[in-house]
């Protein structure tokens, strides 16, 4: 099919077959495609008149077309058209033709040819369905007015049967995206119902919600900045909502993380404090090898200096020895000469000494003889005088001794008395032995009682030592929630400060519990959480607060505590008699003893009054026990607890855990055994008292017997003394009598005296002669002795000098040897210290390579080993004094801290972004809202005016919401006086009323729209003649004004006597069997035109 412009008839001849298409009302319509079709392009009535006058005029000069307006359309094998080409006018184009003639197919061609989607049309979904029936392909070619001086844009779309399309721009191969872009550059919006309203989308316009209508209106008005700003606001508001939600979630998570970490801050601070001490200790220990090296280095330098000094002193001493040795040699020569002279004099002196000695001996011999004679003479004279005196004296002493002897009783009587006393002593010894035997027997019996008492005391002490043994285990306990040393320190402090508290504070719980059955102790220990097992129990809240303030806050101890706001009554949910048949023995709280405050704390925190204890018999009834309502129970092998699921059917599951060995409560006190031991101890103490009384009596008897025996022995001793005295007196008297007899036998001494005197005279003469010889010898001896003494003095002087020199040599030698040894010792020590320094340096470098940073750290630490050792010990003690928190807790804390920091940064960034976004929203809204309101006001004024002209009421309302996506444009209409002004919807108004409102709204946009053309397909369907005429008049008045965009009004019918203008172009679509072929039609038109 082909077409010509103004005053030319165009017809289309279709193939002779049927096509099943969709009618204008949306229903299915069978079109007889055997009838030829044509489009007749006719101007307004005035233009037609000029044609009759033979004046040829086109539809309009091409300059009248706005950029983007449709200049030409060509269709080939498209729906009902074989071939067709026509040129619409630059302003209002009224396309008229009966139903099924192909009017709406032109609308479809415009939409699809300008890269619109099939869903815009409300007809077929596949583009291949628009190919004429029986053809393999078809095409649409649309020529758009170019922008400014640019050439027109020719768009061609070839549609294939397989659904694909080929695109061309100005004859060149292109793509759909390129076509869309070029169309958008010309502000063509085929997807905007305000610009392009196909027949099947008329109802969709009224069905648009206010937000959709607002955005379609913004887009139809070509207010790119407005729609862009609106979309930006929608996106920013959406982003703001998402940001607020994200910030809320992040803030919640952040608060939760902070709360979790706040609960651990104290432990973390302690951990960090401990780590600080450990790091200081590590740094101190790193410095220690360097201090050791420095110590060795300094010592090596000192030893090196000492070695040099020692070697110098040794050299000086060795040099000083040489002159001393020379002097010593000279003295040795002099001493040898004096020794020879002394020997000669000594020999002479020896000879004279021998002579002198012999003479002296002879002189002494005669002297002694003379003295003896003189003594003998004197003795003889004295002995005669003393004889009578001595005899008288001895007789006197004999009388005295005999008087003493007569005072003593006879010896026989003494012996008899002694024998009698001996018998009494023997009898006393036998009695005393019997008493001692009885005492020994009683003592042994008493010792046995004491031993038994001691054994019982040890048993009681062993029972009491259970607490001490528990403390021993507890003090070594260090876990996440337990520090045994801190518990011990807290207990000691509590013992010393109990007066500070209002009520009782007991604990730890592990110390207060007494369980005599080891198996039960295992049950209890597994049932109690570790924090409770080592917790202190306070009777009052204020006591607990004070307790924690003193020990946790001030002393930094890690302990647990609890208190009971009110007494906890003992309640049983079940009767033990119902479970004895299964082997139940006790409830757990019945298996041990403890103060009532402790038991109540265990009721409250561990519910021990609800835990059942079963014996071995229970193993036969485990299924029945599992099916029972008991929630927790123990057997000799396992612990069982029941839990109910929080999800689904809330099923109950039983968890079994094997028993583990007890640590703290396994040793308990058997109170019954303790009572029996105390009773036995009382009986033994009474028995011991009885033995002590009897032993006291025996002691008195034994003491008296000892006194009696001692008295007898004393008497015997006195008799023995008397007997010995008797014997002594007799012996002395006998000796005196013998002395008198000796004196009486002595002779006369006169003759002896004469002989002695004669001998004395002879001795005097001989002794005088010898004295002269002795004097001569003595003179010679003195002379030789003086010579010897002189030599001796000289030799002594030489020897003294020699000795001095030798002493000096010895001193110097010793000094040299000492210096030699000292130098060797220092040298050896220097080598050792030097090697030690090298080794210590290697050790130090291996342990802590000395960097500049480490040097700076070392400068802050002690510089002496004692101070460093003290600092290490202090750091170790400080670290050990701080409870060692579970490292995993710290890892979790630090990980959460990182998460907190990261999350806080995100929150801060989010808040900043939120503020920025809020500011951006405000600024963007300030750019968007005022212009939008102005446009809406203009639309509103036109819309209300058009409605008032048809005797109705219309209003356009901009509905503002917080969410910019919900901002909408409401069309409110009132067609009857009895109606209320109501929003245009797809259900409230009739089809004709919706068409009127839609057309008037589109007309209201006409003055404002920058789009190049607008298409409205069969909008007058359902209108009454009055409304249709007024609407048509409004369309003509608005669409034919100069400068307004191109307008296509598609309609199957027109009323008579409608308003027409010269700026209108009418396109008539015909079909039927009597259509001329295109060439004949064009020739006929040409002939008529020429005529």
């Amino acid at each position: 099919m082909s077409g010509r412009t103004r005053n030319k008839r165009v017809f289309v001849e279709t193939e002779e077959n049927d096509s099943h298409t969709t009618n204008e009302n949306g229903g299915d319509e069978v079109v007889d495609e055997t009838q030829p079709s044509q489009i007749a392009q006719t101007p307004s009535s005035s233009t037609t008149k000029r044609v009759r006058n033979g004046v040829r005029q086109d539809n309009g000069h091409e300059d009248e077309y706005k950029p983007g307006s449709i200049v030409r359309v060509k269709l080939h094998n498209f729906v009902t058209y074989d071939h067709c080409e026509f040129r619409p006018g630059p302003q209002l184009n009224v396309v008229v033709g009966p139903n099924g003639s192909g009017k709406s197919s032109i609308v479809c061609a415009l939409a699809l040819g300008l890269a619109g989607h099939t869903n815009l049309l409300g007809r077929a979904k596949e583009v291949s369905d628009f190919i004429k029936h029986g053809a393999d392909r078809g095409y649409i070619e649309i020529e758009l007015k170019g922008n400014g001086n640019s050439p027109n844009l020719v768009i061609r779309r070839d549609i294939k049967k397989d659904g694909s399309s080929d695109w061309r721009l100005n004859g060149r191969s292109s793509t759909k995206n390129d076509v869309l872009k070029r169309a958008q550059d010309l502000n063509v919006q085929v997807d905007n119902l305000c610009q392009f309203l196909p027949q099947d989308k008329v109802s969709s316009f009224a069905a648009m919600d206010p937000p959709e209508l607002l955005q379609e209106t913004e887009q139809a008005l070509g207010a790119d900045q407005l729609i862009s700003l609106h979309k930006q606001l929608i996106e920013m508001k959406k982003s703001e909502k998402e940001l607020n939600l994200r910030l809320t979630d992040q803030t919640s998570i952040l608060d939760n993380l902070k709360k979790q970490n706040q609960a651990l801050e104290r432990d973390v601070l302690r951990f960090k404090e401990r780590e600080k001490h450990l790091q200081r200790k590590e740094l101190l220990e790193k410095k220690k090898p360097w201090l050791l090296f420095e110590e060795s280095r300094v010592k090596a330098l000192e030893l090196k200096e000492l070695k040099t000094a020692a070697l110098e002193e040794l050299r000086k001493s060795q040099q000083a020895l040489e002159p001393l040795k020379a002097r010593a040699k000279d003295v040795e020569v002099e001493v040898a000469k004096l020794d020879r002279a002394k020997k000669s004099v000594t020999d002479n002196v020896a000879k004279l000494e021998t002579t002198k000695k012999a003479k002296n001996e002879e002189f002494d011999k005669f002297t002694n003889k003379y003295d003896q004679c003189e003594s003998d003479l004197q003795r003889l004279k004295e002995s005669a005088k003393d004889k009578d005196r001595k005899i008288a004296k001895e007789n006197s002493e004999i009388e005295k001794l005999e008087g003493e002897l007569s005072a003593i009783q006879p010896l026989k009587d003494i012996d008899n008395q002694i024998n009698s006393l001996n018998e009494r002593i023997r009898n006393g010894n036998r009695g005393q032995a019997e008493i001692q035997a009885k005492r020994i027997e009683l003592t042994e019996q008493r010792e046995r009682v004491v031993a038994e008492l001691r054994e019982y005391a040890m048993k009681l002490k062993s029972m009491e030592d259970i607490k001490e043994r528990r403390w021993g285990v507890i003090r070594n306990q260090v876990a996440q929630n337990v520090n045994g040393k801190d518990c011990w320190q807290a207990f000691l402090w509590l013992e010393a400060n109990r007066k500070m508290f209002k009520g009782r504070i007991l604990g730890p719980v592990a110390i207060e519990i007494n369980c005599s059955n080891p198996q039960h102790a295992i049950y209890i220990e597994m049932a109690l959480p570790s924090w409770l097992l080592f917790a202190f129990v306070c009777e009052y809240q204020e006591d607990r607060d004070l307790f924690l303030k003193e020990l946790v806050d001030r002393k930094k101890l890690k302990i647990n505590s609890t208190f009971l706001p009110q007494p906890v009554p003992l309640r049983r949910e079940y009767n033990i008699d119902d479970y004895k048949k299964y082997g139940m023995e006790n409830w757990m709280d019945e298996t041990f003893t403890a103060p009532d405050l402790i038991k109540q704390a265990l009721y409250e925190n561990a519910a021990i009054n609800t835990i059942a204890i079963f014996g071995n018999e229970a193993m036969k009834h485990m299924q029945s026990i599992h099916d029972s309502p008991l929630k927790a129970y123990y057997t000799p092998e396992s612990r069982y607890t029941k839990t109910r699921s929080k999800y689904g059917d809330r099923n109950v599951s039983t968890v079994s855990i094997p028993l583990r060995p007890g640590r703290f409560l396994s040793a308990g006190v058997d109170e019954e055994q303790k009572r029996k031991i105390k009773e036995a101890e009382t009986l033994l103490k009474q028995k011991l008292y009885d033995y002590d009384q009897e032993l006291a009596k025996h002691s008195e008897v034994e003491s008296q017997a000892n006194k009696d025996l001692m008295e007898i022995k004393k008497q015997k001793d006195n008799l023995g003394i008397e007997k010995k005295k008797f014997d002594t007196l007799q012996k002395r008297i006998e000796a005196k009598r013998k002395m008198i007899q000796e004196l009486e036998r002595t002779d006369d001494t006169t003759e002896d005296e004469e002989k002695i005197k004669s001998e004395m005279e002879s001795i005097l003469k001989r002794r005088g002669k010898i004295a002269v010889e002795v004097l001569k010898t003595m003179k010679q001896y003195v002379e030789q002795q003086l010579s010897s003494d002189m030599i001796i003095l000289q030799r002594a002087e030489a020897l003294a000098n020699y000795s001095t020199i030798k002493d000096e040599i010895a001193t110097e030698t010793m000094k040299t040897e000492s210096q030699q040894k000292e130098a060797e010792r220092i040298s050896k020590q220097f080598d050792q210290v030097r090697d030690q320094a090298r080794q210590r340096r290697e050790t130090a470098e291996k342990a802590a390579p000395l960097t500049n940073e480490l040097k700076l750290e070392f400068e802050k630490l002690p510089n002496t080993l004692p101070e460093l050792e003290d600092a290490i010990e202090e750091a170790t003690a400080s670290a050990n004094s701080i409870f060692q928190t579970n490292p995993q807790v710290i890892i979790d804390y630090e990980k959460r801290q990182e998460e907190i920091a990261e999350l806080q940064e995100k929150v801060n960034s989010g808040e900043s972004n939120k503020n920025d976004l809020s500011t951006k929203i405000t600024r963007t809204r300030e750019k968007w809202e005022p212009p939008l309101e102005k446009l809406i006001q203009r639309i509103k004024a036109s819309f209300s005016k058009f409605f008032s002209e048809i005797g109705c009421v219309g209003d356009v309302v901009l509905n503002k919401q917080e969410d910019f996506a919900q901002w909408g444009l409401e069309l409110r209409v009132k067609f009857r006086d009895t109606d209320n002004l109501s929003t245009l919807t797809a259900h409230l108004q009739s089809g004709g009323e919706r068409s009127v409102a839609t057309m008037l709204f589109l007309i209201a946009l006409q003055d404002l729209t920058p789009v190049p053309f607008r298409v409205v397909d069969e909008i007058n369907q359902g209108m009454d003649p009055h409304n249709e005429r007024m609407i048509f008049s409004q369309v003509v008045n608005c669409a034919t004004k100069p400068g307004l965009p191109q307008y296509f009004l598609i309609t199957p019918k027109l009323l008579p006597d409608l308003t027409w203008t010269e700026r209108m172009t009418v396109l008539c679509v015909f079909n039927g069997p009597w259509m001329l072929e295109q060439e004949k039609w064009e020739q006929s038109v040409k002939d008529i035109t020429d005529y």
Side-chain angles (χ1 to χ4, degrees), residues 800-1056:
N801 191 20
Y802 182 76
S803 177
T804 300
I805 295 171
K806 280 292 186 181
D807 288 342
E808 291 179 6
I809 291 174
T811 300
E812 289 296 327
T813 301
M814 289 177 62
K815 181 179 177 182
T816 302
E817 291 174 353
S818 175
Q819 289 173 341
Q820 179 72 31
K821 291 179 181 179
E822 181 67 12
E824 291 174 355
R825 183 189 67 79
I826 292 173
S827 180
K828 183 178 180 181
Q829 189 176 1
F830 168 73
D831 293 340
Q832 291 175 346
V833 173
R834 181 188 58 193
D835 294 341
Q836 183 188 57
R838 290 173 179 170
Q839 184 178 0
R840 284 182 173 179
R841 182 182 182 89
E842 292 174 0
T843 302
E845 288 178 342
K846 185 176 180 181
L850 199 58
T851 62
N852 293 330
E853 293 79 4
L854 198 57
K855 285 180 181 179
L856 293 175
E857 291 295 329
F858 282 173
E859 289 176 359
K860 304 173 185 176
L861 302 178
N863 291 318
T864 64
L865 276 174
E867 292 176 349
L868 193 73
E869 293 286 355
D870 292 343
I872 292 174
E873 185 176 351
E874 180 183 353
T876 303
S878 298
N880 292 337
S881 67
I882 299 174
F883 174 74
Q884 186 173 359
T885 304
N886 185 351
Q888 186 60 41
V889 174
I890 308 305
I891 292 171
D892 294 342
Y893 176 88
E894 292 179 347
K895 183 178 179 182
R896 273 195 291 271
Q897 282 294 94
E898 292 176 0
E899 292 176 2
I900 288 170
E902 182 178 352
L903 202 55
Q904 186 66 60
E905 185 177 351
K906 288 181 179 179
V907 169
N908 294 339
S909 177
E911 291 290 348
S912 177
N913 291 339
K914 178 182 175 182
N915 295 333
D916 293 344
L917 190 58
S918 178
T919 302
K920 191 174 180 180
I921 289 173
T922 301
R923 292 175 179 173
T924 304
R925 181 173 181 174
E926 290 172 353
K927 295 178 182 179
W928 171 70
E929 187 175 1
L932 177 65
E933 289 179 336
K934 290 180 180 179
L935 284 174
I936 299 303
Q937 287 299 321
R938 292 177 64 184
I939 296 172
K940 176 178 180 177
S942 298
F943 188 71
S944 299
K945 174 186 173 186
F946 295 151
F947 257 82
S948 65
E949 290 176 354
I950 64 173
C952 300
V953 179
D955 193 11
V956 179
V957 177
L958 180 62
N959 186 6
K960 300 181 181 181
Q961 301 289 337
E962 182 180 358
D963 186 356
F964 292 105
Q966 298 302 317
W967 277 50
L969 198 62
E970 292 183 5
L971 301 184
R972 297 180 181 178
V973 296
K974 176 182 175 182
F975 288 95
R976 286 169 289 277
D977 294 337
T978 57
D979 293 342
N980 293 322
L981 193 65
S982 58
T983 302
L984 179 68
T985 66
H987 309 289
L988 187 59
Q989 289 80 18
S990 66
E993 290 172 342
R994 291 198 300 271
S995 296
V996 170
T998 301
M999 278 304 299
L1000 291 179
F1001 180 73
L1002 295 178
I1003 294 170
L1005 298 181
Q1006 187 74 12
D1007 292 341
L1008 303 175
T1009 180
V1011 294
F1013 64 87
R1014 180 174 284 110
V1015 177
V1016 179
D1017 188 5
E1018 297 193 16
I1019 193 67
N1020 55 344
Q1021 289 285 8
M1023 292 185 187
D1024 57 39
H1026 175 71
N1027 286 335
E1028 183 178 353
R1029 187 176 298 279
M1030 285 191 297
I1031 291 300
F1032 189 82
S1033 177
Q1034 292 287 357
V1035 171
V1036 172
N1037 290 335
C1038 292
T1040 57
K1041 291 179 180 179
L1044 291 181
Q1046 193 178 41
Y1047 204 109
F1048 289 87
L1049 179 62
I1050 315 297
T1051 178
K1053 62 184 179 65
L1054 287 174
L1055 297 173

Side-chain angles (χ1 to χ4, degrees), residues 129 159 226 237 371 430 472 480 573 863 1091:
D129 293 337
I159 304 171
L226 287 181
K237 199 65 180 178
D371 291 340
R430 284 194 293 272
Q480 181 175 357
E573 294 185 21
N863 291 318
Y1091 175 78

Side-chain angles (χ1 to χ4, degrees), residues 434-459:
E434 292 175 358
I435 293 171
Q436 288 177 350
K438 182 64 175 176
R439 177 175 58 77
I440 291 171
E441 181 182 356
L442 289 173
T443 302
E444 290 176 350
Q445 291 175 352
R446 181 183 182 280
E447 288 299 323
R448 284 195 292 272
V449 172
V450 170
E452 290 183 38
L453 282 173
R454 190 179 297 112
E455 182 178 353
Y456 284 141
M458 290 178 65
K459 288 182 179 179

Side-chain angles (χ1 to χ4, degrees), residues 165 207 297 385 397 429 677 705 853 923 1074:
S165 298
R297 188 186 71 82
K385 292 179 181 179
E397 289 182 358
N429 287 335
I677 290 173
E853 293 79 4
R923 292 175 179 173
W1074 307 110

Side-chain angles (χ1 to χ4, degrees), residues 64 188 199 234 284 326 382 403 447 475 477 492 628 632 653 666 721 723 912:
E64 297 182 26
V188 175
Q199 172 187 346
I234 292 172
L284 289 166
E382 290 295 331
E447 288 299 323
R475 282 194 292 266
Q477 176 69 16
L492 295 178
S628 72
S653 61
S666 56
I721 292 171
K723 181 179 179 181
S912 177

